[in-house]
Amino acid sequence: MSSTWTSYKYREDGILPDGKKLPNIPIFNLVFIRNDVKKALIATAFIDTGFDETVYANDDMLNFLEGLEPEAKESLKGVEKEVECEVYKIKTNLITEGLKLIKGLGRVKVFVPEDPANLSDDIVIGREILNLLTLRLDGRYAEISV
Amino acid sequence: MRVTVSLPDNITKRLFEESRRTGLKVSQIVKTSLEEHMEMPEEVKVTPVALWKLRGRRYARGPSITARRKKVGTYYVVDLDKLQV
């Protein structure tokens, strides 16, 4: 049976003050679903094979999770320090850029640092999810096989 | 409850400097200091706790764990009934 590939164009990451262009970032799109408030967060997810876990939150996720009780507390080991996190479990689907469902990922652990200074700029997806997928990265497009 | 206390000039000066620097109200700084001194952390009423902390500050401080300097992803919230997934 042949597989179908879904493509996501890399995002540009800007230019440093010294003029150096940062490498573009592979992404795919996710939707996080809260049935209790009938809301969904449609998000760009940054592929980070260096991140051991599932999802690391940014400020958009923080606001989306307001009012939910964390299911656990865990610490992540950062480059220089331990980052204490609240862990939420959120129903998550992989979607196309046109918001079409590709694959349900179930209730995914979302790590929210307790100190807002440790929030990521963007939502990051780590290997606990990436290892469930067949990915193809070529520097221009991230492709997922379903 | 409103209370009146006497403070040395140097502490009062530092208190107002800290208020200007952080954007927090003087009463909030005093309250937080007393809670820490008496080991009585305020009960968290908002979760995630980072959201609760952010609302007590005007700005988030410190660097992000990422090396990037700005958000480049796209994020928006929609009503579930408007979504097919």
Side-chain angles (χ1 to χ4, degrees):
Chain A
M1 192 174 90
S2 65
S3 57
T4 304
W5 292 85
T6 301
S7 298
Y8 305 87
K9 195 169 186 220
Y10 277 43
R11 289 289 173 101
E12 292 195 357
D13 198 15
I15 296 171
L16 292 173
D18 64 5
K20 182 188 172 194
K21 184 181 184 305
L22 290 164
N24 293 346
I25 308 170
I27 59 112
F28 52 72
N29 289 351
L30 295 175
V31 58
F32 299 94
I33 295 169
R34 277 188 66 178
N35 284 314
D36 59 329
V37 291
K38 308 273 186 235
K39 297 281 184 189
L41 173 65
I42 294 165
T44 308
F46 282 52
I47 296 172
D48 182 354
T49 57
F51 178 37
D52 300 342
E53 274 290 350
T54 46
V55 173
Y56 194 87
N58 72 347
D59 60 325
D60 295 278
M61 177 65 83
L62 189 63
N63 288 312
F64 179 68
L65 295 177
E66 182 174 0
L68 272 186
E69 289 296 321
E71 302 211 4
K73 289 195 177 188
E74 294 185 30
S75 61
L76 297 174
K77 189 168 174 55
V79 175
E80 295 178 349
K81 60 185 176 183
E82 296 273 325
V83 179
E84 298 298 323
C85 293
E86 293 175 320
V87 180
Y88 297 80
K89 285 191 177 173
I90 305 294
K91 182 181 176 187
T92 306
N93 292 340
L94 186 60
I95 55 173
T96 66
E97 290 179 334
L99 309 185
K100 188 178 165 194
L101 175 67
I102 298 175
K103 182 184 176 73
L105 299 173
R107 292 180 75 230
V108 165
K109 285 164 73 176
V110 176
F111 288 77
V112 182
E114 291 190 329
D115 186 342
N118 289 326
L119 283 168
S120 176
D121 297 317
D122 289 286
I123 292 175
V124 174
I125 305 296
R127 294 197 305 279
E128 282 283 354
I129 291 178
L130 298 175
N131 288 353
L132 302 173
L133 307 169
T134 303
L135 288 172
R136 203 156 63 185
L137 306 174
D138 69 358
R140 292 177 303 142
Y141 291 93
E143 295 181 300
I144 295 173
S145 171
V146 182
Chain B
M1 182 184 296
R2 182 182 291 270
V3 295
T4 303
V5 295
S6 297
L7 296 172
D9 288 349
N10 63 329
I11 292 180
T12 308
K13 188 177 170 205
R14 276 287 308 275
L15 184 59
F16 281 94
E17 283 173 356
E18 182 71 3
S19 174
R20 277 194 298 276
R21 189 182 69 79
T22 62
L24 293 174
K25 290 180 178 175
V26 168
S27 59
Q28 179 68 38
I29 296 170
V30 171
K31 176 171 160 287
T32 304
S33 301
L34 287 173
E35 283 169 351
E36 287 174 1
H37 177 74
M38 294 188 288
E39 299 182 345
M40 288 175 56
E42 184 181 341
E43 184 185 354
V44 178
K45 295 188 173 64
V46 177
T47 52
V49 71
L51 194 60
W52 170 70
K53 288 181 178 176
L54 270 179
R55 286 178 178 170
R57 296 180 185 173
R58 183 167 289 178
Y59 304 105
R61 286 171 288 185
S64 164
I65 60 160
T66 68
R68 296 189 301 277
R69 272 137 299 277
K70 64 181 179 62
K71 186 182 293 184
V72 296
T74 310
Y75 308 91
Y76 57 98
V77 175
V78 297
D79 292 330
L80 261 188
D81 57 9
K82 294 193 172 74
L83 200 64
Q84 301 304 309
V85 296

